[in-house]
Amino acid sequence: MSATTYLELSETGGGAHKFYEVRVVDTEVTITYGRIGEQGQVRTASFADHGKALKAAEKKIGEKVRKGYAPAVKGERGRRPVSRREIVSTRSTARQAPVLWRFTSGAPAFGIFVGEDQAWVGNENGDVYTLTHDGRVTGRFGLPDAVKCIVADDFWIYAGCDDGNVYDLGAKVPRVAYEIADDVDIYWLDIHDGVLGVSDRHGGVTVVDHEDEFQWSRPSSGDSAWMVRNAAQGVYHGHSRGVTHYSGRGEQVWHADTTGSVLFGWQERAEVFAGTSRGWVHRFAKADGKVTGNYRCDAAVFSCATSPDGEFVFAGDNQSSVYCFAADGTRLWKLGTDCGSAYSMQYRDERLYLVTTDGSLACVDASAAAVHAAEQGTLPERQDIKAGHVDRVEATAEVEVVTHVTPADGVIVECVQSGGRVRVHVRTDGYNPTWGVQFPKNIRIPGARYVVSEVLTSANGSFYRARGEIKRIN
């Protein structure tokens, strides 16, 4: 005995565009939901008999119909277009930068994070690769859509994806950590202590907490918001009219105009940096928005970064050049990448890592000696690295089921229904049972218990975060 109901909610003007499918087979109810044209997330629940399964399905369908969903034919509506950053990249006329190695990811690359042990790169194909600092490929994740950016929050690594989800990459398998609202066309995102900030095509900024619960949203005086940086002081939001600082509660603290639209943002402990379409990198004090430095490039700035506390400021333009400035604004050098324009960049230990329009992750030796040699025409021997046959680990909502666990297996958590939402609490002794746990969205089932490799306290000491492998306890 089986029955399937398929519903859609598609609003004009860039609003919701999502589906909801309920399938009943004997005593099981399978719900699939997500954005129209995408695979979606799947949840399955079992009931005592077919009648109770049908009753549960009817309840879910009724809830969605009351929210505006209506019966539809699967496949008639297509996926709504998603904005992707485009650069008309030209070849630099400057001398070539001292590139130590270059990894070819296979598609234009936006996402980059360089940590203590490895570098991460994400591209338009949904591939996220991990590499050692000397360029050896160590892993490959597969996400359902193009990777917008990769950010770190303490020990956790997240990737924002064009499917509207943010994935936790901290375990062997990527899992959904945040589900962004369907009417938000993500341009950029950042996370600080579990609080996610999302900037969008219309110039807005949206903030959600560690439980993926909406906190606040603000429009801006501009559009095309390519900059959002989260910090303890709040959110720094860059758009076509400049940079705006909001407090943690969403109140505007200050606004600063920029010369040209903001196309990229960076932050340090006390300052934020904004690269613009007019070839400037502006430096603002976080406390009051006052300009503390300006850095002039020869073309539109699509990425920027700094060394710690802004001692050196780096920028990448749409002519495949990278720049380095002293803190006082003095241009120290300009060199060509030889692998396209830098969509994003990060500096670490005298190396500048770039992800580019041709899909490369390039490691540039940014030491004074190497740059001086490059300016004289002497370059290091570059390693060209290809992915080879690295298994792609796909994002999934499936988990291994175990029947027995011991304390050595990890920490036991349980999904509980609270206030109409499914929350997760720790059941192992020694933890605060009232605190919530940041836990993958698409495997939360009321009453289900899991064993997690590790559960750590958040930086602000108000919630927990799951880390490592997750197994469901039968």
Side-chain angles (χ1 to χ4, degrees):
M1 294 180 288
S2 66
T4 300
T5 301
Y6 180 79
L7 308 171
E8 287 183 349
L9 175 62
S10 185
E11 301 169 337
T12 58
H17 192 65
K18 49 192 176 181
F19 74 92
Y20 194 84
E21 182 180 74
V22 180
R23 187 181 183 203
V24 181
V25 178
D26 294 330
T27 60
E28 281 196 347
V29 177
T30 300
I31 296 174
T32 308
Y33 64 96
R35 297 191 179 195
I36 294 171
E38 297 173 1
Q39 184 176 354
Q41 308 296 324
V42 180
R43 292 178 181 171
T44 300
S46 297
F47 296 87
D49 54 51
H50 183 63
K52 290 184 178 179
L54 283 174
K55 188 175 180 180
E58 289 168 0
K59 181 180 178 182
K60 291 293 185 182
I61 293 166
E63 290 173 354
K64 291 300 177 183
V65 169
R66 287 191 290 274
K67 290 181 179 180
Y69 283 77
V73 177
K74 193 172 185 177
E76 280 195 352
R77 283 194 181 98
R79 175 182 173 179
R80 180 171 287 160
V82 176
S83 299
R84 289 182 175 172
R85 173 157 250 180
E86 298 291 343
I87 296 177
V88 178
S89 180
T90 58
R91 188 177 180 84
S92 177
T93 57
R95 284 191 178 271
Q96 188 178 329
V99 178
L100 297 174
W101 53 265
R102 185 178 70 181
F103 167 68
T104 304
S105 76
F110 299 86
I112 183 175
F113 175 72
V114 183
E116 184 177 345
D117 300 317
Q118 59 188 357
W120 305 67
V121 55
N123 67 23
E124 273 192 3
N125 288 342
D127 284 314
V128 178
Y129 291 95
T130 57
L131 298 91
T132 60
H133 290 169
D134 59 4
R136 180 172 54 85
V137 179
T138 56
R140 180 186 182 188
F141 295 119
L143 301 185
D145 211 330
V147 176
K148 268 290 198 308
C149 55
I150 301 175
V151 295
D153 189 17
D154 201 1
F155 296 109
W156 288 265
I157 306 292
Y158 298 92
C161 192
D162 271 348
D163 69 349
N165 292 323
V166 178
Y167 292 85
D168 181 353
L169 304 180
K172 292 181 180 179
V173 177
R175 298 191 185 278
V176 174
Y178 300 86
E179 297 172 341
I180 308 305
D182 294 85
D183 59 348
V184 176
D185 186 353
I186 301 173
Y187 266 21
W188 211 256
L189 60 87
D190 196 20
I191 300 176
H192 175 75
D193 198 24
V195 176
L196 174 73
V198 180
S199 58
D200 62 50
R201 178 169 63 91
H202 299 293
V205 58
T206 301
V207 172
V208 298
D209 68 8
H210 67 281
E211 284 275 12
D212 195 21
E213 292 188 0
F214 174 84
Q215 297 298 293
W216 54 266
S217 182
R218 298 287 181 271
S220 72
S221 56
D223 55 23
S224 301
W226 282 109
M227 170 185 173
V228 62
R229 294 293 174 179
N230 283 23
Q233 303 95 325
V235 177
Y236 300 88
H237 182 226
H239 44 83
S240 63
R241 298 292 298 275
V243 177
T244 308
H245 174 208
Y246 296 97
S247 71
R249 295 184 177 181
E251 301 147 336
Q252 182 173 320
V253 179
W254 55 257
H255 172 82
D257 291 333
T258 54
T259 304
S261 300
V262 176
L263 300 180
F264 198 85
W266 184 263
Q267 72 169 328
E268 286 295 318
R269 179 179 52 85
E271 295 167 305
V272 289
F273 301 76
T276 78
S277 60
R278 297 283 187 87
W280 288 95
V281 177
H282 296 298
R283 182 173 188 157
F284 301 105
K286 283 184 173 180
D288 54 17
K290 290 183 178 178
V291 176
T292 55
N294 288 304
Y295 310 89
R296 187 72 170 107
C297 301
D298 300 325
V301 176
F302 278 82
S303 58
C304 59
T306 74
S307 61
D309 287 331
E311 180 184 4
F312 298 106
V313 178
F314 302 92
D317 68 17
N318 65 342
Q319 297 179 355
S320 304
S321 296
V322 289
Y323 304 76
C324 177
F325 300 88
D328 65 3
T330 302
R331 184 191 290 187
L332 301 178
W333 50 263
K334 172 187 176 182
L335 296 167
T337 68
D338 196 36
C339 56
S341 299
Y343 273 128
S344 189
M345 59 172 58
Q346 186 175 337
Y347 174 90
R348 188 181 183 93
D349 297 333
E350 292 197 317
R351 293 184 175 186
L352 186 64
Y353 296 83
L354 316 171
V355 287
T356 71
T357 50
D358 78 352
S360 295
L361 169 61
C363 176
V364 177
D365 187 341
S367 66
V371 169
H372 177 73
E375 290 176 323
Q376 307 306 311
T378 301
L379 297 171
E381 184 177 351
R382 186 184 73 196
Q383 284 184 278
D384 286 313
I385 301 161
K386 297 188 182 301
H389 299 291
V390 181
D391 290 337
R392 177 173 155 131
V393 181
E394 302 288 344
T396 182
E398 296 181 3
V399 292
E400 181 184 348
V401 178
V402 296
T403 56
H404 301 286
V405 295
T406 68
D409 295 322
V411 180
I412 295 174
V413 301
E414 182 178 11
C415 299
V416 297
Q417 195 82 35
S418 175
R421 295 181 65 93
V422 180
R423 303 185 185 278
V424 181
H425 294 283
V426 183
R427 296 307 185 213
T428 298
D429 291 339
Y431 294 85
N432 187 331
T434 66
W435 284 6
V437 181
Q438 187 181 57
F439 196 76
K441 300 292 294 181
N442 50 7
I443 62 172
R444 295 188 180 196
I445 302 171
R449 296 166 74 240
Y450 297 85
V451 59
V452 182
S453 298
E454 193 173 14
V455 170
L456 300 178
T457 304
S458 66
N460 67 12
S462 62
F463 68 94
Y464 295 117
R465 304 174 89 161
R467 186 183 184 197
E469 300 309 305
I470 299 172
K471 298 177 182 179
R472 184 176 177 183
I473 303 170
N474 191 0

